[in-house]
């Protein structure tokens, strides 16, 4: 749950730079296991009901990211940092306008405002940081042994 209160981060607090449109894979081309959106949708609906009804003895999933691995039906919760004061979307000096309809959102303008670019150079293992753009990770992954790929956890 994003932006639940003054401390809960928004999506852009967690992921400050959006990947360029050319580096974003659609669900059609990237592949999504059919039932997974349904599982996530049920979880999101449950969170909305908890918040709207004020359900006693239940905590909304705020300041945490729930990871779901459909391969083995496991869940993992990752604690998130608080809202970022310098966030371009919700920070004190944000110039972002509130979007009420997804069709009103201009992704390309938003990305260009972030200064993101897709690097053609492959990063070395030493250069890989805890945060990496999808396009750079895909390039780096080409050189990784298959036994190591199975041990990686990519949070996207």
């Amino acid at each position: 749950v994003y932006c639940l209160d003054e401390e809960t981060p928004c999506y852009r607090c967690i992921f400050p730079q959006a990947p360029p449109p050319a580096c974003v894979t659609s669900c059609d081309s990237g592949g999504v296991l059919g039932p997974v959106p349904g599982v996530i949708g049920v979880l999101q609906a449950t969170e909305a009901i908890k918040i709207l009804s004020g359900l006693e003895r239940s905590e909304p999933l705020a300041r945490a990211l729930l990871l779901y691995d459909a391969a083995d039906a496991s869940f993992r919760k990752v604690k998130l940092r608080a809202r970022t004061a310098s966030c371009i979307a919700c920070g004190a000096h944000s110039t972002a306008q509130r979007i009420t309809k997804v069709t009103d959102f201009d992704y390309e303008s938003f990305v260009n405002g972030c200064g993101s670019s897709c690097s053609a150079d492959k990063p070395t293992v030493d250069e890989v940081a805890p945060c990496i753009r999808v396009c750079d990770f895909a390039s780096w992954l080409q050189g990784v042994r298959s036994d190591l790929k199975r041990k990686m956890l990519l949070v996207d």
Side-chain angles (χ1 to χ4, degrees):
V1 177
Y2 299 113
C3 297
L4 181 63
D5 56 30
E6 294 300 316
E7 289 293 313
T8 309
C10 75
Y11 185 83
R12 197 50 64 206
C13 288
I14 300 164
F15 302 103
Q17 289 206 335
C23 294
V24 177
T25 304
S26 70
C27 293
D28 286 344
S29 61
V32 172
L33 186 60
V36 172
V39 171
I40 301 304
V42 167
L43 292 168
Q44 289 176 326
T46 302
E47 291 304 308
I49 291 168
K50 286 170 24 181
I51 292 166
L52 294 172
S53 68
L55 199 60
E56 290 183 30
R57 295 178 305 191
S58 71
E59 279 293 316
L61 187 63
R63 297 225 20 216
L65 180 64
L66 186 65
L67 305 174
Y68 173 58
D69 184 347
D72 64 2
S74 65
F75 289 90
R76 195 169 138 204
K77 196 188 302 189
V78 178
K79 185 177 180 183
L80 299 176
R81 62 182 171 261
R83 184 173 285 189
T84 306
S86 61
C87 177
I88 63 168
C90 72
H93 303 292
S94 170
T95 58
Q97 56 180 298
R98 188 167 185 86
I99 304 297
T100 57
K101 292 191 315 188
V102 174
T103 55
D104 292 341
F105 186 70
D106 183 358
Y107 185 77
E108 292 205 30
S109 294
F110 180 72
V111 171
N112 291 335
C114 292
S116 296
S117 65
C118 187
S119 167
D121 300 329
K122 288 185 179 182
T124 65
V125 174
D126 295 333
E127 295 171 332
V128 175
C131 293
I132 186 168
R133 292 187 307 250
V134 173
C135 54
D136 293 334
F137 182 75
S139 297
W140 176 79
L141 199 57
Q142 298 296 333
V144 176
R145 296 186 335 242
S146 61
D147 61 318
L148 292 178
K149 287 180 188 179
R150 284 186 225 110
K151 296 178 183 176
M152 291 182 188
L153 171 66
L154 174 64
V155 178
D156 184 18

